[in-house]
Amino acid sequence: FIEGSRYGIDADDTSFLTGLRPQPPFTALDTSFASVNAKQTSVDEIMRHVPLFIIHKGKFYPGLAMQTVIRTYGLRPDQIRIKPGVAVTLVDTPEGTINIPIDEHGQIRINYGLLESLSKATRTYSDLYAAAMDPDRTDVAREHFADTTVVVGNASSGNSDVVVTPMGRLPGVAVQAMALENLLSGRHLRDLSPGLSALAIVALPILFAM
């Protein structure tokens, strides 16, 4: 939980989403905390964005995907700069300088076009459990999970954590995993400016007609 000034920006001067602190007993765990909340910002209530940071009482709390990147690259607060409406910039990472485009609310637009690659990497929890209980299956677990960032969540048919996306209804954990994949791969979507959007709305039908 970082004071706003540590990221080169005052949290109170932004329009980032706000959140609440974790509830006991989780606050006693020796671990990192991150936000998993997102908010439909479009009128059709389709989940297109995920916040990289939220704000609570003047402090920045990273979203799950952002916190995973911070831990993966071992980043310090002074390696992170936030410019609302432009980018979150990560400097001196193992991959060099990384620029992540964000909107004025500190959110990334999720590239769901990569969903197929994510689905190929999905495993059931029972795979890991069986490997942990059966020494003969250790190689299976190593093949699936070694040197890999793993997001664990509920994706069962009775799951209540389901959101509407451009690709249909998906478990919330899949949305978080997609956001993480976008951050690690660098394959981002960028929102057009209002002027370019208006031009595209006018020009594309003409081009299709021609």
Side-chain angles (χ1 to χ4, degrees):
F1 313 135
I2 304 299
E3 296 288 352
S5 59
R6 296 289 295 279
Y7 287 136
I9 185 175
D10 189 335
D12 295 329
D13 291 338
T14 72
S15 59
F16 284 21
L17 301 182
T18 58
L20 302 173
R21 290 194 59 123
Q23 298 297 309
F26 303 106
T27 50
L29 296 176
D30 182 19
T31 186
S32 298
F33 288 99
S35 166
V36 296
N37 295 77
K39 181 180 180 181
Q40 291 94 337
T41 54
S42 57
V43 293
D44 55 10
E45 296 189 349
I46 292 178
M47 188 70 70
R48 294 186 173 91
H49 298 81
V50 166
L52 295 189
F53 294 92
I54 65 168
I55 291 174
H56 177 63
K57 294 185 177 180
K59 291 186 177 182
F60 282 104
Y61 290 64
L64 177 61
M66 187 73 247
Q67 175 65 5
T68 305
V69 170
I70 291 172
R71 291 295 299 269
T72 298
Y73 291 149
L75 300 180
R76 305 180 309 273
D78 60 4
Q79 292 176 268
I80 303 170
R81 285 292 178 269
I82 303 172
K83 191 172 183 180
V86 180
V88 170
T89 300
L90 313 177
V91 299
D92 297 329
T93 78
E95 304 297 329
T97 298
I98 299 174
N99 290 298
I100 306 166
I102 59 172
D103 63 14
E104 65 275 14
H105 304 298
Q107 303 177 118
I108 60 166
R109 188 178 181 100
I110 303 175
N111 183 358
Y112 285 105
L114 307 174
L115 185 61
E116 182 178 354
S117 63
L118 176 67
S119 62
K120 292 179 179 178
T122 302
R123 296 290 182 271
T124 64
Y125 191 81
S126 60
D127 288 339
L128 178 60
Y129 181 82
M133 301 301 291
D134 183 356
D136 293 335
R137 293 175 58 89
T138 300
D139 290 342
V140 175
R142 184 176 291 110
E143 177 186 352
H144 290 170
F145 302 109
D147 300 319
T148 302
T149 301
V150 180
V151 181
V152 181
N154 187 358
S156 63
S157 58
N159 179 21
S160 61
D161 180 22
V162 176
V163 297
V164 180
T165 76
M167 307 298 289
R169 294 170 61 85
L170 293 175
V173 64
V175 175
Q176 294 291 338
M178 283 304 314
L180 175 59
E181 202 284 341
N182 289 182
L183 296 182
L184 293 177
S185 70
R187 291 178 283 186
H188 303 295
L189 295 180
R190 290 170 170 79
D191 290 319
L192 291 175
S193 66
L196 287 176
S197 296
L199 179 61
I201 291 172
V202 173
L204 287 177
I206 296 175
L207 291 175
F208 286 138
M210 295 174 61

